[in-house]
Amino acid sequence: LEWQDRHLWLPNLMPLTSRESESCEMFCYKRSNVCSERGLQFTSINSCDAMRAMYNCSSCVAHRNRNWAPGFNATDKVCYINVMYNASALPNCTIWAKHVARLCPCVPLDKYYEPTVAFHNVSHTRHMDAEVQATDADYRKAREAHPSGCYPTITDFTDEVDEKCGAYLSNVSNIRTIKVMAAPFLFARTVKFHVHYHEPGIRAVLKVSQDGFL
Protein backbone atom coordinates (compact mmCIF):
# COMPACT_ATOMS: atom_id res chain seq x y z
CA LEU A 1 0.00 0.00 0.00
CA GLU A 2 1.05 3.56 -0.61
CA TRP A 3 1.74 5.55 2.54
CA GLN A 4 -1.31 7.81 2.08
CA ASP A 5 -3.54 4.73 1.74
CA ARG A 6 -2.51 3.51 5.20
CA HIS A 7 -3.85 6.53 7.03
CA LEU A 8 -7.34 5.95 8.39
CA TRP A 9 -9.04 7.31 11.44
CA LEU A 10 -10.99 4.98 13.71
CA PRO A 11 -13.39 7.29 15.57
CA ASN A 12 -13.54 5.14 18.74
CA LEU A 13 -9.87 4.18 18.87
CA MET A 14 -8.11 4.81 22.19
CA PRO A 15 -4.29 4.85 22.03
CA LEU A 16 -3.26 3.31 25.36
CA THR A 17 0.08 2.22 26.77
CA SER A 18 0.42 -1.40 27.87
CA ARG A 19 2.54 -2.86 30.64
CA GLU A 20 5.99 -4.03 29.74
CA SER A 21 6.08 -7.53 28.19
CA GLU A 22 2.34 -7.52 27.49
CA SER A 23 0.54 -7.94 24.18
CA CYS A 24 -1.99 -5.38 23.02
CA GLU A 25 -4.55 -8.16 22.73
CA MET A 26 -4.37 -8.99 26.43
CA PHE A 27 -4.05 -5.36 27.50
CA CYS A 28 -7.19 -4.29 25.63
CA TYR A 29 -9.17 -7.39 26.69
CA LYS A 30 -8.55 -6.65 30.36
CA ARG A 31 -10.40 -3.37 29.83
CA SER A 32 -13.29 -4.95 27.90
CA ASN A 33 -11.90 -3.56 24.66
CA VAL A 34 -10.63 -5.14 21.46
CA CYS A 35 -7.23 -4.48 19.92
CA SER A 36 -7.73 -3.25 16.37
CA GLU A 37 -5.06 -4.48 13.97
CA ARG A 38 -6.32 -1.89 11.50
CA GLY A 39 -5.41 0.63 14.15
CA LEU A 40 -1.86 -0.73 14.34
CA GLN A 41 -1.38 -0.93 10.59
CA PHE A 42 -3.41 1.90 9.08
CA THR A 43 -3.48 4.82 11.52
CA SER A 44 -0.91 7.31 12.73
CA ILE A 45 -0.47 5.36 15.98
CA ASN A 46 2.37 3.71 14.06
CA SER A 47 4.40 6.92 13.90
CA CYS A 48 7.25 8.59 15.78
CA ASP A 49 5.01 11.57 16.57
CA ALA A 50 2.52 9.32 18.37
CA MET A 51 5.27 7.46 20.22
CA ARG A 52 6.93 10.67 21.41
CA ALA A 53 3.56 11.93 22.63
CA MET A 54 3.23 8.87 24.88
CA TYR A 55 6.82 8.03 25.86
CA ASN A 56 10.05 9.78 26.73
CA CYS A 57 11.91 8.37 23.73
CA SER A 58 15.69 8.69 23.56
CA SER A 59 15.26 8.10 19.81
CA CYS A 60 12.66 6.73 17.40
CA VAL A 61 13.64 3.96 14.99
CA ALA A 62 11.70 2.63 11.99
CA HIS A 63 12.24 -1.12 11.74
CA ARG A 64 11.05 -3.73 9.25
CA ASN A 65 11.06 -6.81 11.52
CA ARG A 66 9.50 -5.55 14.76
CA ASN A 67 5.91 -6.79 14.58
CA TRP A 68 5.45 -5.68 18.20
CA ALA A 69 6.04 -2.09 17.05
CA PRO A 70 4.90 0.56 17.72
CA GLY A 71 6.53 -0.03 21.08
CA PHE A 72 8.86 1.43 23.70
CA ASN A 73 11.92 -0.52 24.86
CA ALA A 74 12.21 0.30 28.56
CA THR A 75 15.85 -0.84 28.76
CA ASP A 76 17.33 1.67 26.30
CA LYS A 77 14.36 4.10 26.07
CA VAL A 78 14.19 3.66 22.28
CA CYS A 79 10.82 3.94 20.54
CA TYR A 80 10.18 1.70 17.55
CA ILE A 81 7.69 1.93 14.70
CA ASN A 82 6.99 -0.61 11.98
CA VAL A 83 7.81 0.29 8.37
CA MET A 84 5.10 -2.08 7.00
CA TYR A 85 7.67 -3.77 4.75
CA ASN A 86 5.98 -7.13 4.16
CA ALA A 87 2.99 -9.17 5.31
CA SER A 88 4.95 -11.43 7.67
CA ALA A 89 6.36 -8.45 9.58
CA LEU A 90 3.20 -6.35 9.92
CA PRO A 91 2.37 -5.20 13.46
CA ASN A 92 -0.25 -7.34 15.15
CA CYS A 93 -2.13 -7.46 18.42
CA THR A 94 -0.93 -10.80 19.81
CA ILE A 95 2.85 -10.24 19.86
CA TRP A 96 4.70 -9.18 23.00
CA ALA A 97 8.38 -8.57 23.64
CA LYS A 98 10.44 -8.58 26.83
CA HIS A 99 10.83 -5.12 28.41
CA VAL A 100 8.70 -3.56 25.66
CA ALA A 101 5.60 -1.50 26.39
CA ARG A 102 3.35 -1.33 23.36
CA LEU A 103 1.19 1.54 22.11
CA CYS A 104 -2.13 -0.24 21.73
CA PRO A 105 -5.13 0.75 19.57
CA CYS A 106 -7.98 -0.31 21.86
CA VAL A 107 -11.58 -0.05 20.65
CA PRO A 108 -14.72 -0.64 22.80
CA LEU A 109 -16.36 -3.98 22.03
CA ASP A 110 -19.65 -2.40 20.99
CA LYS A 111 -17.87 -0.01 18.59
CA TYR A 112 -15.54 -2.52 16.92
CA TYR A 113 -17.43 -2.77 13.62
CA GLU A 114 -18.07 0.93 13.12
CA PRO A 115 -16.66 2.11 9.77
CA THR A 116 -13.47 4.09 9.37
CA VAL A 117 -13.55 7.67 8.15
CA ALA A 118 -11.11 9.97 6.40
CA PHE A 119 -7.58 10.38 7.68
CA HIS A 120 -7.13 12.30 10.90
CA ASN A 121 -4.02 12.56 13.02
CA VAL A 122 -4.10 11.06 16.49
CA SER A 123 -4.43 14.27 18.44
CA HIS A 124 -6.03 13.11 21.70
CA THR A 125 -4.08 10.32 23.37
CA ARG A 126 -5.16 8.76 26.64
CA HIS A 127 -3.09 7.14 29.36
CA MET A 128 -4.70 4.46 31.46
CA ASP A 129 -3.27 3.11 34.68
CA ALA A 130 -2.11 -0.43 33.88
CA GLU A 131 -3.46 -1.62 37.22
CA VAL A 132 -7.04 -0.46 36.59
CA GLN A 133 -9.30 -3.46 36.06
CA ALA A 134 -12.65 -3.69 34.29
CA THR A 135 -15.74 -2.73 36.30
CA ASP A 136 -19.08 -4.55 36.56
CA ALA A 137 -20.41 -2.17 33.92
CA ASP A 138 -17.53 -3.19 31.63
CA TYR A 139 -18.43 -6.84 32.10
CA ARG A 140 -22.07 -6.15 31.23
CA LYS A 141 -20.93 -4.45 28.04
CA ALA A 142 -18.74 -7.45 27.23
CA ARG A 143 -21.69 -9.82 27.62
CA GLU A 144 -23.88 -7.64 25.43
CA ALA A 145 -21.16 -7.47 22.77
CA HIS A 146 -20.70 -11.26 22.70
CA PRO A 147 -24.03 -13.02 22.07
CA SER A 148 -22.02 -16.15 21.27
CA GLY A 149 -21.33 -16.61 24.98
CA CYS A 150 -17.55 -16.50 24.37
CA TYR A 151 -16.28 -13.69 26.56
CA PRO A 152 -12.57 -12.88 26.07
CA THR A 153 -12.47 -10.75 29.23
CA ILE A 154 -14.55 -12.93 31.60
CA THR A 155 -13.52 -16.26 33.11
CA ASP A 156 -16.48 -16.97 35.43
CA PHE A 157 -18.16 -19.32 32.92
CA THR A 158 -21.15 -21.51 33.76
CA ASP A 159 -22.11 -24.83 32.15
CA GLU A 160 -24.76 -23.02 30.12
CA VAL A 161 -22.30 -20.38 28.89
CA ASP A 162 -19.66 -23.02 28.11
CA GLU A 163 -22.15 -24.98 26.03
CA LYS A 164 -23.26 -21.85 24.16
CA CYS A 165 -19.70 -20.79 23.43
CA GLY A 166 -18.73 -24.31 22.35
CA ALA A 167 -21.61 -24.41 19.89
CA TYR A 168 -20.48 -21.08 18.41
CA LEU A 169 -16.84 -22.17 18.05
CA SER A 170 -17.74 -25.51 16.43
CA ASN A 171 -20.02 -23.92 13.81
CA VAL A 172 -17.80 -23.44 10.75
CA SER A 173 -20.08 -20.72 9.37
CA ASN A 174 -18.88 -18.47 12.21
CA ILE A 175 -15.22 -18.72 11.10
CA ARG A 176 -13.77 -15.67 9.36
CA THR A 177 -10.21 -16.86 8.62
CA ILE A 178 -8.01 -19.91 9.25
CA LYS A 179 -4.21 -19.66 9.20
CA VAL A 180 -1.82 -22.55 9.71
CA MET A 181 0.62 -22.12 12.58
CA ALA A 182 4.31 -22.94 12.20
CA ALA A 183 5.18 -26.43 13.45
CA PRO A 184 8.61 -27.11 15.01
CA PHE A 185 8.57 -30.80 14.01
CA LEU A 186 7.44 -32.47 10.80
CA PHE A 187 6.12 -35.47 12.70
CA ALA A 188 4.24 -33.64 15.44
CA ARG A 189 1.01 -35.31 16.50
CA THR A 190 -1.17 -32.45 15.29
CA VAL A 191 -1.27 -29.62 12.79
CA LYS A 192 -2.36 -26.38 14.48
CA PHE A 193 -4.41 -23.60 12.93
CA HIS A 194 -5.12 -20.11 14.24
CA VAL A 195 -8.86 -19.48 13.78
CA HIS A 196 -10.45 -16.02 13.77
CA TYR A 197 -14.22 -15.76 14.17
CA HIS A 198 -16.63 -13.13 12.90
CA GLU A 199 -17.42 -11.94 16.41
CA PRO A 200 -14.76 -9.41 17.49
CA GLY A 201 -12.03 -10.66 19.77
CA ILE A 202 -12.89 -14.36 19.41
CA ARG A 203 -9.96 -16.55 18.38
CA ALA A 204 -9.09 -20.19 18.86
CA VAL A 205 -6.40 -22.75 18.10
CA LEU A 206 -7.64 -25.71 16.06
CA LYS A 207 -5.65 -28.95 16.34
CA VAL A 208 -5.96 -31.55 13.57
CA SER A 209 -4.36 -34.98 13.79
CA GLN A 210 -1.56 -35.55 11.27
CA ASP A 211 -2.46 -39.21 10.92
CA GLY A 212 -4.54 -38.40 7.86
CA PHE A 213 -1.68 -36.50 6.18
CA LEU A 214 1.26 -38.89 6.64
Side-chain angles (χ1 to χ4, degrees), residues 15-201:
L16 303 175
T17 58
S18 77
R19 292 188 182 100
E20 291 178 26
S21 309
E22 183 176 36
S23 73
C24 285
E25 182 178 57
M26 291 305 301
F27 175 80
C28 294
Y29 282 174
K30 289 176 182 177
R31 287 142 189 86
S32 295
N33 296 318
V34 175
C35 174
S36 169
E37 290 197 347
R38 288 183 302 167
L40 281 173
Q41 299 173 6
F42 299 106
T43 74
S44 56
I45 274 186
N46 185 31
S47 70
C48 286
D49 287 343
M51 293 300 296
R52 291 189 179 106
M54 302 297 280
Y55 300 101
N56 184 22
C57 308
S58 62
S59 62
C60 185
V61 178
H63 206 286
R64 67 173 60 183
N65 294 322
R66 298 286 193 265
N67 49 8
W68 44 258
F72 173 74
N73 190 321
T75 58
D76 56 14
K77 311 300 181 184
V78 174
C79 289
Y80 291 88
I81 62 171
N82 190 297
V83 297
M84 309 282 286
Y85 182 72
N86 57 54
S88 64
L90 293 180
N92 68 66
C93 292
T94 61
I95 296 295
W96 63 273
K98 191 174 182 180
H99 302 309
V100 171
R102 300 191 62 185
L103 181 53
C104 299
C106 298
V107 178
L109 288 169
D110 56 346
K111 305 292 185 182
Y112 185 74
Y113 284 120
E114 289 194 0
T116 58
V117 297
F119 166 71
H120 188 285
N121 281 322
V122 178
S123 57
H124 298 287
T125 56
R126 288 180 52 190
H127 288 277
M128 180 176 286
D129 187 343
E131 300 301 325
V132 173
Q133 299 298 316
T135 65
D136 289 342
D138 293 326
Y139 286 136
R140 286 195 296 272
K141 287 175 62 178
R143 292 187 177 97
E144 292 170 0
H146 288 283
S148 67
C150 303
Y151 309 127
T153 58
I154 303 174
T155 57
D156 53 342
F157 287 175
T158 64
D159 290 340
E160 180 182 358
V161 170
D162 283 350
E163 183 176 354
K164 185 178 180 180
C165 179
Y168 178 85
L169 295 178
S170 60
N171 186 341
V172 295
S173 65
N174 295 324
I175 294 176
R176 178 163 56 92
T177 61
I178 300 178
K179 183 178 180 180
V180 67
M181 300 172 66
F185 303 108
L186 176 61
F187 295 100
R189 291 179 298 173
T190 61
V191 179
K192 298 179 179 65
F193 299 87
H194 200 180
V195 182
H196 291 233
Y197 290 83
H198 289 292
E199 193 168 285

